[in-house]
Amino acid sequence: MISSKIEEALNRQIDLEGFSSMYYLAMGSWAEVNGYKGVAQFLYHHSDEERMHMLKLFRYINDRGGRAIVPPFAAPQKDFKNIREIFDIVHSHEVKVSNEINALVELCIQEKDYTTHNFLQWYVTEQIEEESLARDVIDKLNLIGEDKGGMYLFDRDLATLTGQQGGGKGHGGHGH
Ligand SMILES: [Fe+2]
Ligand SMILES: [Fe+2]
């Protein structure tokens, strides 16, 4: 059984993971209509992953005697300047998510909830990967700069990267 304090905190994380999913969906849609099919594919996939992170929390809360609630999600930004802006946002958003996960881990220690603490370790590992993935993409964009041909290849590259992100990097239990 989880305490109501932990239940509330996990429900807030549901809100954040669900919002992340919508945010990446909005970015993917912008990329798609602006001619970046590979980037769109990457972001749609990323959106699916965030939904899976949210679903994992639903199952955990309900399994542990709490109740997972679908929150009223905030509407994500729909217009973006360019691809660079999108990935800067992805990176800073993932850093924010990592901070929230760390705060949750801290709360579990305070509350002596070692089961939830253990459950959250999956998210801790996932955040390391997601932050590093976002940084890798930004590094590529820095190399390309304003080069149009480079952007064309970058878009193709991201379609390839889509199959590799999540699940394949040595930690099991992705659950999808
Ligand atoms: Fe996530
Ligand atoms: Fe994420």
Side-chain angles (χ1 to χ4, degrees), residues 17 20 50 53 94 97 127 130:
E17 300 289 350
S20 304
E50 298 300 349
H53 299 170
E94 289 299 336
V97 173
Q127 284 313 117
E130 294 212 357

Side-chain angles (χ1 to χ4, degrees), residues 66-133:
R67 186 173 171 203
I69 306 286
V70 177
F73 294 110
Q77 176 181 341
K78 63 178 190 295
D79 291 312
F80 303 92
K81 271 206 299 275
N82 49 36
I83 294 294
R84 176 60 202 247
E85 187 194 36
I86 284 179
F87 284 101
D88 283 340
I89 295 173
V90 169
H91 182 253
S92 59
H93 187 70
E94 289 299 336
V95 169
K96 180 186 165 185
V97 173
S98 298
N99 291 338
E100 294 302 323
I101 294 288
N102 290 341
L104 261 175
V105 168
E106 182 60 39
L107 181 70
C108 289
I109 294 167
Q110 278 170 27
E111 296 287 300
K112 298 190 184 351
D113 183 342
Y114 302 114
T115 311
T116 304
H117 182 275
N118 184 49
F119 165 76
L120 289 172
Q121 296 313 302
W122 184 88
Y123 288 84
V124 171
T125 309
E126 182 67 17
Q127 284 313 117
I128 296 169
E129 285 189 13
E130 294 212 357
E131 278 188 43
S132 110
L133 182 66

Side-chain angles (χ1 to χ4, degrees), residues 156-175:
R156 283 202 350 203
D157 231 39
L158 275 217
T160 323
L161 210 63
T162 305
Q164 293 165 10
Q165 61 173 314
K169 288 221 220 114
H171 67 92
H174 240 81

Side-chain angles (χ1 to χ4, degrees), residues 41-79:
Q41 196 180 322
F42 178 89
L43 289 165
Y44 287 159
H45 182 82
H46 206 134
S47 171
D48 283 347
E49 295 241 319
E50 298 300 349
R51 185 181 184 279
M52 189 270 293
H53 299 170
M54 179 182 71
L55 199 58
K56 222 174 158 70
L57 283 154
F58 266 78
R59 299 228 165 104
Y60 179 78
I61 295 169
N62 291 341
D63 264 3
R64 301 277 304 144
R67 186 173 171 203
I69 306 286
V70 177
F73 294 110
Q77 176 181 341
K78 63 178 190 295
D79 291 312

